[in-house]
Amino acid sequence: MAGDWIKVRTGLGRHPKVVRMASALKTDRLRVVGGLHAVWCLFDEHTTDGVLEGYTLELVDELIGLPGMAGAMLDVRWLDDSKPGCLVLPEFDTHNGA
């Protein structure tokens, strides 16, 4: 719950993980970047430690309007669902928070 901004890399749209996600989702890289922004904002708004309780991959997809997005994030290790009943944003402290 950092406030009203999050850090985004200038080359994010060309990042290999974004390219892989776009290919897996059969969509364009800008749509993936928009989805990432939405997910990262969700975590920033509703958690202080990167652990979002009560959320599922399917719910995240529904909230951002891109089916398969959360699974694609999981595949490139930008999301973790190994903690029961939670989704975890790896390296949250590096990129989010105050």
Side-chain angles (χ1 to χ4, degrees):
M1 298 184 216
D4 58 357
W5 66 273
I6 63 169
K7 183 171 39 173
V8 177
R9 290 184 220 151
T10 57
L12 182 61
R14 295 176 302 280
H15 192 287
K17 289 183 178 183
V18 169
V19 173
R20 285 176 45 203
M21 290 174 66
S23 177
L25 294 168
K26 296 182 181 12
T27 192
D28 62 88
R29 290 176 290 128
L30 292 178
R31 180 71 174 109
V32 171
V33 169
L36 288 169
H37 180 266
V39 172
W40 292 336
C41 286
L42 174 70
F43 274 83
D44 204 61
E45 291 171 353
H46 298 290
T47 180
T48 57
D49 59 0
V51 178
L52 198 54
E53 294 184 28
Y55 282 73
T56 63
L57 300 175
E58 295 79 16
L59 180 58
V60 169
D61 288 352
E62 180 185 326
L63 289 171
I64 65 165
L66 183 56
M69 178 70 181
M73 289 182 70
L74 194 70
D75 289 344
V76 299
R77 297 193 171 115
W78 273 347
L79 195 60
D80 180 4
D81 69 346
S82 63
K83 186 173 181 175
C86 300
L87 292 178
V88 178
L89 197 62
E91 299 183 42
F92 178 85
D93 292 339
T94 302
H95 303 289
N96 296 73

